[in-house]
Amino acid sequence: MKHLFGILFAALLAVAAQHAVAAPAAVVEGVQMPAWVERAVTGGIRRIPLAPGMELRGGDEVKTGAGSRIYIKLAEGSLVKLGENASLKLLDLQPERGGLFRAALNVLEGAFRFTTDILAKERRREVSIRVATVTAGIRGTDLWGKSMPERQIVCLIEGKIEVGAEGEAPVTMDQARQFYQREQGQTKPVGFVEPTQLAQWAQETEIEDGQGAARRGGKWRVTLASVSTQSEALAIYDQVRTAGYAAEIHPAKAGEKRIYVVRISRLPTKADAEALAAQLRGKHGVEEPKVSG
């Protein structure tokens, strides 16, 4: 009996280990649409609207449109936030192996924030974030940055980082509100940003409540259309998804008739659902969207 128990216990451990290895390295936590991921597939690049719960992998490039925000949760507990009109390339993502999580991120355009909650601060990680020609090495910290054509900024909020440009010795920043910047290819002396300016910068990457963002676990939804044919549903579905909104099609019944419902789900509050409905009303084939919980 003891021998059988030992075999069963070992099997359970093996299953648990397999699930741990299979855990996604990055998952979309929240998205204020429009936003997409561009992913390499056989024959080219596929553009998919982002939705909460979507798994991301190395090689993906996520993009945001006007007014958009994205939250990406990494397997080791950190959160990557991306502001509007931005582009982030996930160069490499390696789930925790031997207790170490590795990632390399490239901010091609726009504002970002990398933040680690208190429970994840002690976990081992090797994360580098590249902002144009500037690279920041991260060891459990909180920072904000932005990539613009003629200017790059990396600002430390909490913790410690090493940051430097190609061909230059990196500098260590270990005091809150220190910031590193390059303008027109020239590195400026490290300085300190005023709290009011930092608050303005940080707002560029925050998802505000009630503004139409979808999140994991959200229970509200917006019905964009209820039509009688699959072709009508697909026409609206394609327009909305091309515009960067993660619409879904659900067959349903209206009395004895089959209908096709095009909707966006996972809105956390009624206010978010109403804001998204207002945003899409009269656009992309959507006439009068309806909100439900």
Side-chain angles (χ1 to χ4, degrees), residues 20-21 23-26 56-59 74-76 90-105 124-127:
V21 171
L56 301 175
R57 55 187 186 229
L74 301 183
E76 43 70 72
L90 307 176
L91 295 175
D92 186 31
L93 288 172
Q94 296 184 30
E96 291 184 72
R97 292 175 182 172
L100 179 65
F101 176 88
R102 291 185 174 91
L105 314 175
R124 294 176 61 222
R125 62 178 61 80
E126 286 184 4
V127 178

Side-chain angles (χ1 to χ4, degrees), residues 76-78 96 98-101 114-126 139-141 158-159:
E76 43 70 72
S78 296
E96 291 184 72
L100 179 65
F101 176 88
F114 180 96
T115 183
T116 305
D117 64 38
I118 191 168
L119 296 177
K121 286 185 182 293
E122 300 305 318
R123 294 178 184 169
R124 294 176 61 222
R125 62 178 61 80
E126 286 184 4
R139 296 290 188 277
T141 189
E158 181 185 353

Side-chain angles (χ1 to χ4, degrees), residues 3-75:
H3 180 66
L4 177 60
F5 177 79
I7 293 174
L8 291 173
F9 184 68
L12 288 172
L13 287 177
V15 170
Q18 287 177 355
H19 281 292
V21 171
V27 176
V28 177
E29 185 74 16
V31 53
Q32 190 164 329
M33 300 169 241
W36 308 260
V37 58
E38 293 186 351
R39 176 172 293 167
V41 296
T42 303
I45 301 293
R46 186 182 178 194
R47 201 177 206 218
I48 311 165
L50 286 175
M54 181 182 291
E55 296 181 12
L56 301 175
R57 55 187 186 229
D60 284 348
E61 184 174 334
V62 293
K63 295 186 174 185
T64 59
S68 175
R69 305 283 191 276
I70 299 172
Y71 286 178
I72 300 170
K73 191 79 168 182
L74 301 183

Side-chain angles (χ1 to χ4, degrees), residues 4-257:
L4 177 60
F5 177 79
I7 293 174
L8 291 173
F9 184 68
L12 288 172
L13 287 177
V15 170
Q18 287 177 355
H19 281 292
V21 171
V27 176
V28 177
E29 185 74 16
V31 53
Q32 190 164 329
M33 300 169 241
W36 308 260
V37 58
E38 293 186 351
R39 176 172 293 167
V41 296
T42 303
I45 301 293
R46 186 182 178 194
R47 201 177 206 218
I48 311 165
L50 286 175
M54 181 182 291
E55 296 181 12
L56 301 175
R57 55 187 186 229
D60 284 348
E61 184 174 334
V62 293
K63 295 186 174 185
T64 59
S68 175
R69 305 283 191 276
I70 299 172
Y71 286 178
I72 300 170
K73 191 79 168 182
L74 301 183
E76 43 70 72
S78 296
L79 193 65
V80 179
K81 302 178 179 182
L82 199 63
E84 69 173 342
N85 296 320
S87 179
L88 173 69
K89 182 82 170 182
L90 307 176
L91 295 175
D92 186 31
L93 288 172
Q94 296 184 30
E96 291 184 72
R97 292 175 182 172
L100 179 65
F101 176 88
R102 291 185 174 91
L105 314 175
N106 189 357
V107 183
L108 302 172
E109 185 178 8
F112 76 94
R113 184 170 178 179
F114 180 96
T115 183
T116 305
D117 64 38
I118 191 168
L119 296 177
K121 286 185 182 293
E122 300 305 318
R123 294 178 184 169
R124 294 176 61 222
R125 62 178 61 80
E126 286 184 4
V127 178
S128 67
I129 296 181
R130 188 175 178 86
V131 185
T133 59
V134 177
T135 301
I138 295 169
R139 296 290 188 277
T141 189
D142 189 350
L143 64 89
W144 184 94
K146 191 170 186 178
S147 177
M148 296 167 280
E150 301 298 332
R151 189 184 185 202
Q152 297 81 45
I153 303 171
V154 176
C155 181
L156 181 67
I157 298 174
E158 181 185 353
K160 181 178 180 179
I161 59 174
E162 283 192 350
V163 57
E166 293 177 355
E168 296 181 2
V171 297
T172 298
M173 299 198 302
D174 57 6
Q175 298 180 61
R177 295 189 290 107
Q178 278 186 305
F179 77 102
Y180 174 105
Q181 65 174 327
R182 279 173 64 83
E183 290 188 5
Q184 297 183 340
Q186 299 296 316
T187 301
K188 304 294 182 180
V190 172
F192 286 87
V193 65
E194 293 296 325
T196 53
Q197 178 63 76
L198 178 56
Q200 290 177 15
W201 283 349
Q203 197 61 33
E204 293 185 33
T205 53
E206 291 300 307
I207 292 178
E208 296 183 12
D209 292 338
Q211 298 301 305
R215 293 178 183 262
R216 285 207 288 177
K219 304 298 184 183
W220 287 81
R221 57 182 178 266
V222 178
T223 297
L224 307 178
S226 297
V227 293
S228 58
T229 68
Q230 190 175 36
S231 60
E232 289 177 286
L234 283 170
I236 297 170
Y237 168 89
D238 287 341
Q239 288 184 69
V240 172
R241 288 180 67 87
T242 298
Y245 295 82
E248 306 163 338
I249 297 178
H250 292 268
K253 281 287 191 75
E256 295 300 315
K257 295 182 179 179

